[in-house]
Amino acid sequence: MSPILKIAKDDDDRELRFEIDYLLSLTTEERFKMMFERSELIKKTLRDHGHRKTAEIIKRK
Protein backbone atom coordinates (compact mmCIF):
# COMPACT_ATOMS: atom_id res chain seq x y z
CA MET A 1 0.00 0.00 0.00
CA SER A 2 1.44 3.35 -0.98
CA PRO A 3 1.41 6.38 1.32
CA ILE A 4 -0.92 9.31 0.67
CA LEU A 5 0.13 12.95 0.79
CA LYS A 6 -2.48 15.30 2.25
CA ILE A 7 -1.85 19.03 1.93
CA ALA A 8 -4.14 22.05 2.20
CA LYS A 9 -3.12 23.65 -1.12
CA ASP A 10 -1.13 22.71 -4.20
CA ASP A 11 2.60 22.53 -3.60
CA ASP A 12 4.45 21.05 -6.58
CA ASP A 13 7.81 20.93 -4.82
CA ARG A 14 6.40 19.08 -1.82
CA GLU A 15 4.53 16.63 -4.07
CA LEU A 16 7.70 15.91 -6.04
CA ARG A 17 9.77 15.38 -2.87
CA PHE A 18 7.06 13.07 -1.52
CA GLU A 19 7.01 11.03 -4.74
CA ILE A 20 10.81 10.75 -4.89
CA ASP A 21 11.01 9.73 -1.22
CA TYR A 22 8.39 7.05 -1.83
CA LEU A 23 10.16 5.67 -4.89
CA LEU A 24 13.51 5.64 -3.08
CA SER A 25 11.93 3.65 -0.25
CA LEU A 26 11.08 0.81 -2.66
CA THR A 27 13.40 -2.03 -3.51
CA THR A 28 14.61 -2.48 -7.07
CA GLU A 29 12.28 -5.46 -7.47
CA GLU A 30 9.28 -3.43 -6.30
CA ARG A 31 10.09 -0.61 -8.73
CA PHE A 32 10.42 -3.04 -11.64
CA LYS A 33 7.17 -4.74 -10.65
CA MET A 34 5.39 -1.36 -10.64
CA MET A 35 6.91 -0.52 -14.03
CA PHE A 36 5.80 -3.82 -15.60
CA GLU A 37 2.28 -3.52 -14.13
CA ARG A 38 1.98 0.03 -15.51
CA SER A 39 3.24 -1.13 -18.93
CA GLU A 40 0.60 -3.85 -19.03
CA LEU A 41 -2.10 -1.34 -18.05
CA ILE A 42 -1.00 1.03 -20.82
CA LYS A 43 -0.97 -1.80 -23.39
CA LYS A 44 -4.45 -2.92 -22.31
CA THR A 45 -5.77 0.65 -22.52
CA LEU A 46 -4.32 1.09 -26.01
CA ARG A 47 -5.79 -2.25 -27.17
CA ASP A 48 -9.20 -1.32 -25.74
CA HIS A 49 -9.15 1.94 -27.70
CA GLY A 50 -8.31 0.39 -31.05
CA HIS A 51 -4.53 0.66 -31.14
CA ARG A 52 -3.90 -3.04 -31.67
CA LYS A 53 -0.97 -3.22 -34.02
CA THR A 54 2.27 -1.29 -34.29
CA ALA A 55 2.67 0.76 -37.45
CA GLU A 56 4.82 -0.95 -40.05
CA ILE A 57 7.57 0.63 -42.10
CA ILE A 58 7.31 -0.50 -45.70
CA LYS A 59 10.13 0.16 -48.12
CA ARG A 60 8.84 0.86 -51.59
CA LYS A 61 10.82 0.91 -54.81
Side-chain angles (χ1 to χ4, degrees), residues 42-58:
I42 292 169
K43 283 192 274 187
K44 181 185 178 309
T45 303
L46 287 171
R47 275 194 308 268
D48 292 347
H49 289 90
H51 301 278
R52 296 171 193 251
K53 190 174 180 184
T54 308
E56 296 179 15
I57 299 173
I58 302 171

Side-chain angles (χ1 to χ4, degrees), residues 19-51:
E19 189 69 27
I20 291 172
D21 288 342
Y22 170 67
L23 291 173
L24 288 173
S25 74
L26 299 174
T27 65
T28 303
E29 291 83 12
E30 290 170 327
R31 281 183 266 169
F32 271 99
K33 182 181 176 196
M34 283 177 57
M35 181 182 67
F36 290 131
E37 288 172 354
R38 184 59 54 146
S39 292
E40 288 302 316
L41 177 64
I42 292 169
K43 283 192 274 187
K44 181 185 178 309
T45 303
L46 287 171
R47 275 194 308 268
D48 292 347
H49 289 90
H51 301 278

